Structures are given as structure tokens and as C-alpha cells.
Amino acid sequence: MSGRKLFGTDGIRGKANVYPMTGEVAFVLGRAVTSYFQKNFTKKPLIIIGKDTRLSCYMLEQAFSAGVCSQGGKAILTGPLPTPGVAFVTQSMRADAGVMISASHNSFEDNGIKIFDRTGHKLPDEIELELEKMVLDPSSIPVKVGDQLGNAKRLDEVIGRYIVNTKAALSPQYTLEGLRIVVDAANGAGYKLAPMVFEELGAEVIAIGNTPNGTNINLNVGALHPEACADAVKKYRADLGVCLDGDGDRLTIVDGNGTVVHGDKLIGLCGKFLKDNNEIGPANEVVGTVMSNFGVEYFLQQQGLTFTRTQVGDRYIVERMRQSGALFGGEPSGHLVFKKYSTTGDGILAALKVIESIRFYDMDLADLTKIEMFPQVMQNVHVSKRVPFEEVAEIKKAMDHAEAKLGKEGRILLRYSGTEALARVMVEGKDNKLVNTLCTELAETVKKALG
């Protein structure tokens, strides 16, 4: 990631109309993406451009599209469409690239641009770096003139393709008949199609967060604010609530009691469900990140599954899945990736698989998610220097001691803050008292060595 000026862990993101999230940058990025795929693939690259419901999406969508046209590409504008929908449509239409304009769970003032390749996967770091060089030096992009210029059109019917594909993820032996579901679309990209998917599969849907006005995306609704959904579940005596985030690639689920289900518990449930249905894949592996609670790892081990951790970000989960052949992975934040059905996190699809597991086990979600989360203690330690922890003898010794004490019933995680002069010391384990003691001891050791 070092040396990157524009791209972060999930595309480019920032305050809309402030560099780098300006129309000018979007225009040059449109040129760069088209030029890159022109050089590598086809004469007139086909680029899918989706967006969420932010006011600034109009500006950025038109600017990016103008960049595509000026470079000789064909732009297809889908209108509001969840991120996984853009990934799917890119693949389905055999386009050269797909672009999503969204800042996901951020408030409406922000916006972002993420890019998918023709297979519907997020671009690897090295391609993003190449695009970044072109954006920072637009003169390196050859200018097109005359009949070399491209065109753009709006194609609303692509949304239907995504709906059909998503519904197909629910096993044909199940329907949602008899279920009352609160669907909170966060006033975002899934505001129209999310309630539609659940209704078409037979559920009675109570839709909230489905009246976007350009400035209310994620505002007190959606995956990060499930309180409104929990209230609606209790008020309407619904069976469950499904909350999406602004771009629809993750979810928070509320059970029939109005209780928000921890994301790690959903990972545990879905891992067990896929294994019991022989759909976990030959790797027998569930992929998570360093942020998942050790409780889910312990639970999955009891099911005979391996839990492999990556750095934070669903793109790293997908990278690992592609390497190992794993078919399921997820983050506690609610990005759940079912590789058989999608190339990225998909909130609607994940909700359907959770509902399928309820049908399969014929149990309430509250009972299915009684997966014990282990006590977790974290301490922040101010540091004057950043050295790899394992290279400091006394820290390495303290880490080895802590790991030996925890055995197979816990873990430690030491990492530096991305923005502050802090080391974060985290210990998880079954025994609360032991976890606290070990965390304090480790934090003291780090303070003495690096403070």
C-alpha cells in the first residue's frame, strides 16, 4: 500500500468536490481506466458505471462517463445499483471494467470510486498503482479524436439481471412464504430492489430506509444504525430485520426478538450451514480477518473447519479465497462473501443464505446464533518508534509466554494504529481474568520497549 496517493484499501474515497473526490479527477480516472483496458483488452472498452443515492453521484457519474467517452470507450450507466450488482453486471455483460461510485457506509458528504475487472473482482494493488500514475500525469494518456471517441447510454434493465441472479442464490426447495421481514435499505443503492427481492420470494416486507433524497443515505438507518430496524421488528412482530449499508455490500441482521446479531455469529452460522450442506468447498476453510473474535474461530474448529485470517478488507478475504479455493468468508462488520454466487460482499444475498439456514435447521435465528464470543481486552500504548514486534526480544518473549498460557483457547494481536503513534495490544480468550492479566503484562512490556 506504500507510496499510493489516491487509492486506499477500497478504491478512492474522500469529501465530495474536494480533491481527490472531484469531477476533474473522476474525468481523468475515466480516461485512465478506459486507456488501460484499451491497451490490454479491446478496441472500444465497455465500462459499467453504477452509483448509490448521494447527491454528488450525479457529478461524479457524468464526469467519469465523459472521461470514458473522451478515451474512446462505451459507458453504460445503470443508475442506483448495489456494489455487488455492479460486479455481477460487469461479468454478465462481458464488460471490460465496472465502476461503483459510492462511499459505502459514510455520510452523504463523502463519496468514492471503486473499480472491478471483467471477472467482477476488485482490482489488485499493482493495477491501481498504474491507474494512479496515469491520473497524476494525464499527459501520459494518448488523446483520442474524431471517430475514435466513444459514447454513453443509460440502461436501467440491468437491475433485473442482478435481481434474478440474487434470487437464484436461495435454494429452490425454500421460499420466504410466511416470513415477515423488515428491510432497511439505508436510503442507499438497494432502496428499490432490496424489498423487491424479498417480496418476489414470498416474504411480507416492511420497508424502511427506502426514501433517498440525496442527503439521507446512512442517516440513522442501515447496517451501522440498526436501531430503527430493531424497533420496527418489535413493532410489527417481524421474524427478522435485514439492514444494508449505503452501497448494499454488507448487512446487519436483527433477530425476531429485536436483538442485533453480532457479525461473527453470522460467520459461524453460515460456515456451519455450508459445511452441513456440503457447500463449504474442498479447502474446508472459512476466511476471516484479524478483527474476528476468537469465539467464532473456536466454534468453527469444533465443526471441523479451518479459520484463516487476513488483513482487514473484503478484497483481502476474496484474494485468500481465490488462492485456497475456500467458498465462504466474512468480516464482523457484515461483509459476507459466498464465492459460489458472488465475487464480493453482498448484503441481500447474505440475508437470503441466513434465511436459508433458518429454514434448513427449522430453528429461530436467536437460537442458531448462540455462539459464545470470548472476552476481548484491548489496551493502547503510546510508542516513540515503530519496530516489528517480533524483532524486539522482550516483546517476542512476552508474546510467546501469553500464547503458551492461552493455548488453543485464545489469541493475541499486536498492531500499530494506522493514524496515531499507538500500539494496540489485544488479547482474547475463554478466561476473562487471564485475558486481563496477559493484556496488562503485554502492554507494560511494549511500553518499556517502545514507549
Side-chain angles (χ1 to χ4, degrees):
M1 302 296 289
S2 60
R4 287 148 64 102
K5 294 182 177 71
L6 297 174
F7 285 91
T9 51
D10 204 10
I12 303 173
R13 199 176 286 189
K15 200 161 279 301
N17 222 19
V18 176
Y19 185 86
M21 230 42 255
T22 61
E24 290 82 356
V25 170
F27 174 75
V28 183
L29 184 60
R31 289 188 64 208
V33 168
T34 310
S35 180
Y36 176 84
F37 287 101
Q38 205 157 31
K39 187 175 66 187
N40 288 281
F41 298 116
T42 52
K43 191 163 172 257
K44 287 214 169 192
L46 179 64
I47 315 284
I48 307 293
I49 305 173
K51 63 176 182 176
D52 67 21
T53 56
R54 288 159 217 272
L55 193 57
S56 57
C57 282
Y58 292 100
M59 167 186 84
L60 295 167
E61 169 196 57
Q62 299 295 333
F64 195 99
S65 170
V68 172
C69 296
S70 81
Q71 209 55 38
K74 298 176 185 173
I76 286 186
L77 312 180
T78 70
L81 182 65
T83 292
V86 173
F88 167 73
V89 169
T90 302
Q91 201 183 6
S92 162
M93 292 191 71
R94 300 191 177 185
D96 295 279
V99 174
M100 179 65 181
I101 301 170
S102 171
S104 188
H105 58 273
N106 290 25
S107 63
F108 90 94
E109 297 93 347
D110 292 342
N111 218 326
I113 298 175
K114 39 192 163 188
I115 306 163
F116 295 92
D117 67 14
R118 53 174 42 189
T119 67
H121 290 93
K122 288 176 184 173
L123 296 183
D125 292 351
E126 55 273 20
I127 295 180
E128 286 187 344
L129 204 54
E130 211 171 315
L131 293 174
E132 193 169 280
K133 282 179 190 159
M134 293 159 86
V135 173
L136 297 173
D137 179 18
S139 64
S140 66
I141 309 172
V143 175
K144 304 286 180 183
V145 292
D147 66 356
Q148 294 176 325
L149 296 176
N151 60 352
K153 63 179 173 183
R154 194 167 286 283
L155 207 60
D156 296 329
E157 60 265 32
V158 296
I159 290 172
R161 289 186 184 219
Y162 170 64
I163 290 175
V164 169
N165 182 65
T166 306
K167 282 163 57 183
L170 183 74
S171 173
Q173 71 199 85
Y174 301 111
T175 71
L176 306 189
E177 298 280 346
L179 283 181
R180 181 179 293 171
I181 303 173
V182 176
V183 178
D184 178 351
N187 293 317
Y191 81 97
K192 196 185 284 183
L193 61 85
M196 212 182 286
V197 169
F198 295 100
E199 270 173 0
E200 287 182 12
L201 287 166
E204 178 192 344
V205 171
I206 292 134
I208 64 173
N210 64 333
T211 51
N213 61 13
T215 61
N216 63 356
I217 188 169
N218 300 313
L219 185 63
N220 301 322
V221 284
L224 264 70
H225 304 282
E227 306 80 26
C229 182
D231 288 344
V233 166
K234 286 186 270 193
K235 179 181 174 184
Y236 296 105
R237 296 181 183 172
D239 296 286
L240 75 159
V242 174
C243 313
L244 305 176
D245 68 339
D247 70 331
D249 67 350
R250 65 157 136 168
L251 86 164
T252 297
I253 285 208
V254 177
D255 69 22
N257 303 322
T259 304
V260 174
V261 180
H262 193 293
D264 276 333
K265 294 187 174 191
L266 294 179
I267 294 171
L269 168 62
C270 292
K272 175 177 162 52
F273 167 68
L274 291 173
K275 183 167 194 295
D276 290 347
N277 276 273
N278 299 315
E279 278 191 47
I280 199 68
N284 228 27
E285 174 186 73
V286 172
V287 183
T289 73
V290 293
M291 297 310 289
S292 269
N293 186 285
F294 189 77
V296 70
E297 183 171 335
Y298 188 77
F299 173 80
L300 290 168
Q301 283 169 358
Q302 309 302 109
Q303 313 304 315
L305 294 168
T306 305
F307 187 70
T308 306
R309 294 175 186 272
T310 70
Q311 60 180 301
V312 175
D314 63 330
R315 62 187 290 196
Y316 300 110
I317 289 175
V318 173
E319 269 175 31
R320 168 66 195 178
M321 290 166 81
R322 291 175 85 180
Q323 284 164 11
S324 72
L327 294 179
F328 174 64
E331 296 188 279
S333 59
H335 286 115
L336 301 181
V337 184
F338 292 85
K339 191 92 178 61
K340 185 178 171 185
Y341 306 98
S342 181
T343 55
T344 188
D346 186 330
I348 300 171
L349 192 156
L352 292 178
K353 298 315 273 184
V354 169
I355 293 167
E356 191 176 323
S357 72
I358 294 169
R359 291 292 206 220
F360 175 77
Y361 294 112
D362 195 19
M363 286 168 69
D364 285 343
L365 184 61
D367 294 322
L368 285 173
T369 50
K370 282 180 177 165
I371 298 169
E372 184 191 359
M373 293 291 110
F374 284 15
Q376 180 190 87
V377 180
M378 188 158 87
Q379 291 190 27
N380 291 326
V381 181
H382 283 275
V383 291
S384 56
K385 54 189 172 184
R386 290 173 181 244
V387 185
F389 297 110
E390 53 280 1
E391 288 179 16
V392 183
E394 57 266 48
I395 295 177
K396 176 79 170 73
K397 188 180 170 187
M399 287 166 73
D400 290 345
H401 167 74
E403 281 171 348
K405 282 271 191 188
L406 290 166
K408 289 187 174 178
E409 295 194 341
R411 67 171 182 136
I412 61 169
L413 176 67
L414 269 66
R415 62 190 181 99
Y416 290 108
S417 162
T419 52
E420 301 167 273
L422 293 175
R424 304 198 194 281
V425 179
M426 190 194 81
V427 182
E428 284 178 341
K430 263 193 161 181
D431 183 334
N432 197 21
K433 192 177 172 188
L434 177 64
V435 165
N436 275 286
T437 304
L438 293 175
C439 189
T440 302
E441 286 174 3
L442 261 173
E444 286 296 324
T445 307
V446 172
K447 192 175 177 181
K448 277 180 194 160
L450 302 175

